[in-house]
Amino acid sequence: MEEEQSPGAAGGGEHHFLQDVEVKKENPADEVAPEAEEEDEDSLPHSEVLDIFEEGLARLVQDPLLCDLPIQVTLEEVNSQIALEYGQAMTVKVVKADGEIMPIVVVQNATVLDLKKAICRFMELKQQREGGVKHVSWRYVWRTYHLVFQGEKLEDDTMRLKDYGIRNRDEVTFMKRLRKK
């Protein structure tokens, strides 16, 4: 496409742009009224927009990088998966008393408290997706159970997981606390 320049125009490209703007103004059939644009945006019901979004999200999580994520993925989960790929995070396999393994993603320099918060968030999301128990008393859980790695209790919430020797893909288990008499 060749640009048209008028004699004496210093910035030929700019002049061509201005000509296009003038042409658009001269041809009212090409213009779209602001009301029409709003009508186009409002023409899809919310449920259809959600369906379109969920279809796109389903295609997104088919990517090999994100294939481990659930269909109803959150932005937080996508960011965690990306951090894992870049080596900025690690997965800690938390084994519940019933044998279920929860893959919990935490940053590399996470503390025991960070791991506990991530476990809470993981369970919250799982409950939202599957239904079931609506409320878990985490105060009760942490009062009743220890997190244990290779026989050592993770008692100090401020201590980093690295300091306990926990690395990517290591297993941490819930162990019932012994009652003090």
Side-chain angles (χ1 to χ4, degrees), residues 95-147:
V95 183
K96 290 177 26 180
D98 63 2
E100 179 186 347
I101 297 175
M102 302 181 292
I104 307 297
V105 178
V106 292
V107 293
Q108 287 288 349
N109 61 350
T111 64
V112 173
L113 183 60
D114 294 333
L115 176 61
K116 287 179 177 180
K117 287 179 180 178
I119 291 169
C120 295
R121 182 69 178 138
F122 177 87
M123 289 303 296
E124 183 182 297
L125 289 170
K126 182 178 178 190
Q127 289 169 354
Q128 286 176 0
R129 291 179 181 130
E130 297 174 0
V133 180
K134 297 295 179 198
H135 177 73
V136 173
S137 171
W138 289 103
R139 176 180 280 176
Y140 171 79
V141 170
W142 301 130
R143 212 176 42 233
T144 310
Y145 292 91
H146 283 291
L147 289 174

Coordinates of all heavy atoms in Angstrom, one line a residue, residues 95-147:
V95 N 0.1 -36.0 52.8 CA -0.6 -37.3 52.9 C -1.6 -37.2 54.1 O -1.1 -37.0 55.2 CB 0.3 -38.5 53.1 CG1 -0.5 -39.8 53.1 CG2 1.4 -38.5 52.0
K96 N -2.9 -37.3 53.8 CA -3.9 -37.2 54.9 C -3.9 -38.6 55.6 O -3.4 -39.6 55.1 CB -5.2 -36.9 54.3 CG -5.3 -35.5 53.8 CD -6.6 -35.1 53.1 CE -7.8 -35.8 53.5 NZ -9.0 -35.3 52.8
A97 N -4.6 -38.6 56.7 CA -4.7 -39.8 57.5 C -5.4 -41.0 56.7 O -5.1 -42.1 56.9 CB -5.5 -39.5 58.8
D98 N -6.3 -40.6 55.8 CA -7.0 -41.6 55.0 C -6.2 -42.1 53.8 O -6.7 -42.9 53.0 CB -8.4 -41.1 54.6 CG -8.3 -39.9 53.6 OD1 -7.2 -39.5 53.3 OD2 -9.4 -39.4 53.3
G99 N -5.0 -41.6 53.7 CA -4.1 -42.0 52.6 C -4.2 -41.1 51.3 O -3.4 -41.3 50.4
E100 N -5.1 -40.2 51.3 CA -5.2 -39.3 50.1 C -4.0 -38.4 50.1 O -3.6 -37.9 51.1 CB -6.5 -38.5 50.3 CG -6.7 -37.5 49.1 CD -7.9 -36.5 49.3 OE1 -8.7 -36.8 50.2 OE2 -7.9 -35.6 48.5
I101 N -3.5 -38.2 48.9 CA -2.3 -37.3 48.7 C -2.8 -36.0 48.1 O -3.4 -36.0 47.0 CB -1.2 -38.0 47.9 CG1 -0.7 -39.2 48.6 CG2 -0.1 -37.0 47.6 CD1 0.3 -40.0 47.8
M102 N -2.5 -34.9 48.8 CA -2.8 -33.6 48.2 C -1.5 -32.9 47.7 O -0.6 -32.7 48.5 CB -3.4 -32.7 49.4 CG -4.6 -33.2 50.0 SD -5.2 -32.1 51.3 CE -4.0 -32.2 52.5
P103 N -1.4 -32.6 46.4 CA -0.3 -31.9 45.9 C -0.4 -30.4 46.2 O -1.2 -29.7 45.6 CB -0.3 -32.2 44.4 CG -1.8 -32.4 44.1 CD -2.4 -33.0 45.4
I104 N 0.4 -30.0 47.1 CA 0.3 -28.6 47.5 C 1.5 -27.8 47.0 O 2.7 -28.2 47.2 CB 0.4 -28.5 49.1 CG1 -0.7 -29.3 49.7 CG2 0.2 -27.0 49.5 CD1 -2.1 -29.0 49.4
V105 N 1.2 -26.7 46.3 CA 2.3 -25.9 45.7 C 2.6 -24.7 46.6 O 1.7 -24.0 47.0 CB 1.9 -25.4 44.3 CG1 2.9 -24.5 43.7 CG2 1.6 -26.6 43.4
V106 N 3.9 -24.6 46.9 CA 4.3 -23.4 47.7 C 5.6 -22.9 47.1 O 6.3 -23.6 46.3 CB 4.6 -23.8 49.2 CG1 3.3 -24.2 49.9 CG2 5.6 -25.0 49.3
V107 N 5.9 -21.6 47.4 CA 7.2 -21.0 46.9 C 8.4 -21.7 47.5 O 8.3 -22.4 48.5 CB 7.2 -19.5 47.2 CG1 6.2 -18.8 46.4 CG2 7.1 -19.2 48.6
Q108 N 9.5 -21.6 46.9 CA 10.7 -22.3 47.3 C 11.1 -22.0 48.7 O 11.6 -22.9 49.4 CB 11.9 -21.9 46.4 CG 11.8 -22.6 45.0 CD 12.1 -24.1 45.0 OE1 12.5 -24.7 46.0 NE2 11.7 -24.7 43.9
N109 N 11.0 -20.7 49.2 CA 11.4 -20.4 50.5 C 10.2 -20.3 51.5 O 10.2 -19.5 52.4 CB 12.2 -19.1 50.5 CG 11.4 -17.9 50.0 OD1 10.3 -18.1 49.5 ND2 11.9 -16.7 50.2
A110 N 9.2 -21.2 51.3 CA 8.0 -21.1 52.1 C 8.3 -21.6 53.5 O 9.2 -22.4 53.8 CB 6.9 -22.1 51.5
T111 N 7.5 -21.1 54.4 CA 7.6 -21.5 55.9 C 6.5 -22.6 56.1 O 5.7 -22.8 55.2 CB 7.3 -20.3 56.8 OG1 6.0 -19.9 56.6 CG2 8.3 -19.2 56.6
V112 N 6.6 -23.2 57.3 CA 5.6 -24.1 57.7 C 4.2 -23.5 57.7 O 3.2 -24.1 57.2 CB 5.9 -24.7 59.1 CG1 4.7 -25.6 59.6 CG2 7.2 -25.5 59.1
L113 N 4.1 -22.2 58.1 CA 2.8 -21.5 58.1 C 2.3 -21.4 56.7 O 1.1 -21.5 56.4 CB 2.9 -20.2 58.8 CG 1.6 -19.4 58.9 CD1 0.6 -20.1 59.7 CD2 1.9 -18.0 59.5
D114 N 3.2 -21.1 55.7 CA 2.8 -20.9 54.3 C 2.2 -22.3 53.8 O 1.2 -22.3 53.1 CB 4.0 -20.5 53.4 CG 4.5 -19.1 53.7 OD1 3.7 -18.3 54.2 OD2 5.7 -18.9 53.5
L115 N 2.8 -23.4 54.2 CA 2.4 -24.7 53.8 C 1.0 -24.9 54.4 O 0.1 -25.4 53.7 CB 3.3 -25.8 54.2 CG 2.9 -27.2 54.0 CD1 2.7 -27.5 52.5 CD2 3.9 -28.2 54.6
K116 N 0.8 -24.6 55.6 CA -0.5 -24.8 56.3 C -1.6 -23.9 55.6 O -2.7 -24.4 55.3 CB -0.5 -24.4 57.8 CG 0.3 -25.4 58.6 CD 0.3 -24.9 60.1 CE 1.0 -26.0 61.0 NZ 1.0 -25.5 62.4
K117 N -1.3 -22.7 55.2 CA -2.2 -21.8 54.5 C -2.6 -22.4 53.1 O -3.7 -22.4 52.7 CB -1.7 -20.4 54.4 CG -1.7 -19.6 55.7 CD -1.1 -18.3 55.5 CE -1.1 -17.4 56.7 NZ -0.5 -16.1 56.5
A118 N -1.5 -23.0 52.5 CA -1.7 -23.6 51.1 C -2.6 -24.8 51.2 O -3.5 -25.1 50.4 CB -0.4 -23.9 50.5
I119 N -2.5 -25.6 52.3 CA -3.3 -26.7 52.5 C -4.8 -26.3 52.7 O -5.7 -26.9 52.1 CB -2.8 -27.6 53.7 CG1 -1.5 -28.2 53.5 CG2 -3.9 -28.6 54.2 CD1 -0.8 -28.8 54.7
C120 N -5.0 -25.3 53.5 CA -6.3 -24.7 53.7 C -6.9 -24.3 52.4 O -8.1 -24.6 52.1 CB -6.3 -23.5 54.7 SG -5.7 -23.9 56.4
R121 N -6.2 -23.6 51.6 CA -6.7 -23.1 50.3 C -7.0 -24.2 49.4 O -8.0 -24.2 48.7 CB -5.7 -22.1 49.7 CG -6.1 -21.5 48.4 CD -7.2 -20.5 48.6 NE -7.6 -19.9 47.3 CZ -8.8 -19.7 46.9 NH1 -9.8 -20.0 47.7 NH2 -9.0 -19.2 45.7
F122 N -6.1 -25.2 49.3 CA -6.3 -26.4 48.5 C -7.7 -27.1 48.9 O -8.5 -27.4 48.0 CB -5.2 -27.4 48.7 CG -5.3 -28.7 47.9 CD1 -4.9 -28.7 46.6 CD2 -5.9 -29.8 48.5 CE1 -5.0 -29.9 45.9 CE2 -6.1 -31.0 47.7 CZ -5.6 -31.0 46.4
M123 N -7.9 -27.3 50.2 CA -9.1 -27.9 50.6 C -10.3 -27.1 50.4 O -11.4 -27.6 50.0 CB -9.0 -28.3 52.1 CG -8.0 -29.4 52.4 SD -8.4 -30.9 51.6 CE -10.0 -31.3 52.3
E124 N -10.2 -25.8 50.5 CA -11.3 -24.9 50.2 C -11.7 -25.0 48.8 O -12.9 -25.1 48.5 CB -10.9 -23.4 50.6 CG -11.9 -22.4 50.4 CD -11.3 -21.0 50.7 OE1 -10.9 -20.8 51.9 OE2 -11.3 -20.2 49.8
L125 N -10.8 -25.0 47.9 CA -11.1 -25.1 46.4 C -11.7 -26.4 46.1 O -12.6 -26.5 45.3 CB -9.8 -24.8 45.6 CG -9.3 -23.4 45.5 CD1 -8.0 -23.3 44.9 CD2 -10.3 -22.5 44.8
K126 N -11.1 -27.5 46.7 CA -11.6 -28.8 46.5 C -13.1 -28.9 46.9 O -13.9 -29.5 46.2 CB -10.8 -29.8 47.2 CG -11.2 -31.3 47.0 CD -10.2 -32.2 47.7 CE -10.7 -33.6 47.5 NZ -10.1 -34.6 48.4
Q127 N -13.4 -28.4 48.1 CA -14.8 -28.4 48.6 C -15.7 -27.6 47.7 O -16.9 -28.1 47.4 CB -14.8 -27.9 50.0 CG -14.2 -28.8 51.0 CD -14.0 -28.1 52.4 OE1 -14.3 -26.9 52.5 NE2 -13.6 -28.9 53.3
Q128 N -15.3 -26.5 47.2 CA -16.1 -25.7 46.2 C -16.4 -26.5 45.0 O -17.5 -26.5 44.5 CB -15.4 -24.4 45.9 CG -15.4 -23.4 46.9 CD -14.6 -22.1 46.5 OE1 -14.1 -22.1 45.4 NE2 -14.5 -21.2 47.4
R129 N -15.5 -27.3 44.5 CA -15.6 -28.0 43.2 C -16.5 -29.3 43.4 O -17.2 -29.7 42.6 CB -14.3 -28.4 42.7 CG -13.5 -27.2 42.2 CD -12.2 -27.5 41.6 NE -11.5 -26.3 41.1 CZ -10.3 -26.0 41.5 NH1 -9.6 -26.7 42.2 NH2 -9.8 -24.8 41.0
E130 N -16.3 -29.9 44.6 CA -16.9 -31.2 44.8 C -18.2 -31.1 45.7 O -18.9 -32.1 45.8 CB -15.9 -32.2 45.4 CG -14.8 -32.5 44.5 CD -13.7 -33.4 45.2 OE1 -13.9 -33.7 46.4 OE2 -12.7 -33.7 44.6
G131 N -18.4 -30.0 46.4 CA -19.4 -30.0 47.4 C -18.9 -30.6 48.6 O -17.7 -30.6 48.9
G132 N -19.8 -31.1 49.4 CA -19.4 -31.8 50.7 C -19.3 -30.9 51.8 O -20.1 -29.9 51.9
V133 N -18.4 -31.1 52.7 CA -18.3 -30.3 54.0 C -18.1 -28.8 53.6 O -17.3 -28.5 52.8 CB -17.1 -30.8 54.8 CG1 -17.0 -30.0 56.1 CG2 -17.3 -32.3 55.2
K134 N -18.9 -28.0 54.3 CA -18.9 -26.6 53.9 C -17.9 -25.8 54.8 O -17.4 -24.8 54.3 CB -20.3 -25.9 54.1 CG -21.3 -26.5 53.2 CD -21.0 -26.2 51.7 CE -22.0 -26.8 50.8 NZ -21.6 -26.9 49.5
H135 N -17.6 -26.3 56.0 CA -16.7 -25.5 56.8 C -15.8 -26.5 57.6 O -16.2 -27.5 58.1 CB -17.5 -24.7 57.8 CG -16.6 -24.0 58.8 ND1 -15.8 -22.9 58.4 CD2 -16.3 -24.2 60.1 CE1 -15.1 -22.4 59.5 NE2 -15.4 -23.2 60.5
V136 N -14.5 -26.2 57.6 CA -13.5 -27.0 58.3 C -12.9 -26.0 59.4 O -12.5 -24.9 59.1 CB -12.4 -27.5 57.4 CG1 -11.3 -28.1 58.2 CG2 -12.9 -28.4 56.3
S137 N -12.9 -26.5 60.6 CA -12.3 -25.7 61.7 C -10.8 -26.0 61.6 O -10.3 -27.0 62.2 CB -12.8 -26.1 63.0 OG -12.1 -25.5 64.0
W138 N -10.0 -25.1 61.0 CA -8.6 -25.3 60.9 C -7.9 -25.2 62.2 O -6.9 -25.8 62.5 CB -8.0 -24.4 59.8 CG -8.4 -24.8 58.5 CD1 -9.4 -24.3 57.7 CD2 -8.0 -26.0 57.8 NE1 -9.5 -25.0 56.5 CE2 -8.7 -26.1 56.6 CE3 -7.0 -27.0 58.0 CZ2 -8.5 -27.1 55.6 CZ3 -6.8 -28.0 57.1 CH2 -7.5 -28.0 55.9
R139 N -8.5 -24.4 63.1 CA -7.9 -24.3 64.5 C -7.9 -25.7 65.1 O -7.0 -26.1 65.7 CB -8.7 -23.3 65.3 CG -8.3 -23.2 66.7 CD -9.1 -22.2 67.5 NE -8.6 -20.9 67.2 CZ -9.1 -19.8 67.6 NH1 -10.2 -19.8 68.4 NH2 -8.6 -18.6 67.3
Y140 N -9.1 -26.4 64.9 CA -9.2 -27.8 65.5 C -8.2 -28.7 64.8 O -7.5 -29.5 65.4 CB -10.6 -28.3 65.3 CG -10.7 -29.8 65.7 CD1 -10.8 -30.2 67.0 CD2 -10.7 -30.7 64.6 CE1 -10.9 -31.5 67.3 CE2 -10.8 -32.1 65.0 CZ -10.9 -32.5 66.3 OH -11.0 -33.8 66.6
V141 N -8.1 -28.6 63.5 CA -7.2 -29.5 62.7 C -5.7 -29.3 63.2 O -5.0 -30.3 63.5 CB -7.2 -29.2 61.2 CG1 -6.1 -29.9 60.4 CG2 -8.6 -29.6 60.7
W142 N -5.3 -28.1 63.3 CA -3.9 -27.9 63.7 C -3.6 -28.2 65.2 O -2.5 -28.4 65.6 CB -3.4 -26.4 63.4 CG -3.5 -26.1 61.9 CD1 -4.1 -25.1 61.3 CD2 -3.0 -26.9 60.8 NE1 -4.1 -25.1 60.0 CE2 -3.4 -26.3 59.6 CE3 -2.4 -28.2 60.7 CZ2 -3.1 -26.8 58.4 CZ3 -2.1 -28.7 59.4 CH2 -2.4 -28.0 58.3
R143 N -4.7 -28.1 66.0 CA -4.6 -28.5 67.4 C -4.6 -30.0 67.5 O -4.0 -30.5 68.5 CB -5.8 -27.9 68.2 CG -5.5 -27.5 69.6 CD -6.7 -26.9 70.3 NE -8.0 -27.5 70.1 CZ -9.0 -26.8 69.6 NH1 -9.0 -25.5 69.4 NH2 -10.2 -27.4 69.4
T144 N -5.2 -30.7 66.6 CA -5.3 -32.2 66.7 C -4.2 -32.9 65.9 O -3.9 -34.1 66.3 CB -6.7 -32.6 66.1 OG1 -7.7 -31.8 66.8 CG2 -7.0 -34.0 66.4
Y145 N -3.7 -32.3 64.9 CA -2.7 -33.0 64.0 C -1.4 -32.2 63.9 O -1.4 -31.0 63.9 CB -3.3 -33.2 62.6 CG -4.4 -34.2 62.5 CD1 -5.7 -33.8 62.7 CD2 -4.2 -35.6 62.3 CE1 -6.8 -34.7 62.6 CE2 -5.2 -36.5 62.3 CZ -6.5 -36.0 62.4 OH -7.6 -36.9 62.4
H146 N -0.3 -33.0 63.7 CA 1.0 -32.4 63.4 C 1.2 -32.7 61.9 O 0.7 -33.6 61.3 CB 2.1 -33.2 64.1 CG 2.3 -32.9 65.5 ND1 2.7 -31.7 66.0 CD2 2.1 -33.6 66.6 CE1 2.8 -31.7 67.3 NE2 2.5 -32.9 67.7
L147 N 2.0 -31.8 61.3 CA 2.6 -32.2 60.0 C 4.0 -32.8 60.3 O 4.7 -32.2 61.1 CB 2.8 -30.9 59.1 CG 1.5 -30.3 58.6 CD1 1.8 -29.0 57.8 CD2 0.7 -31.3 57.6

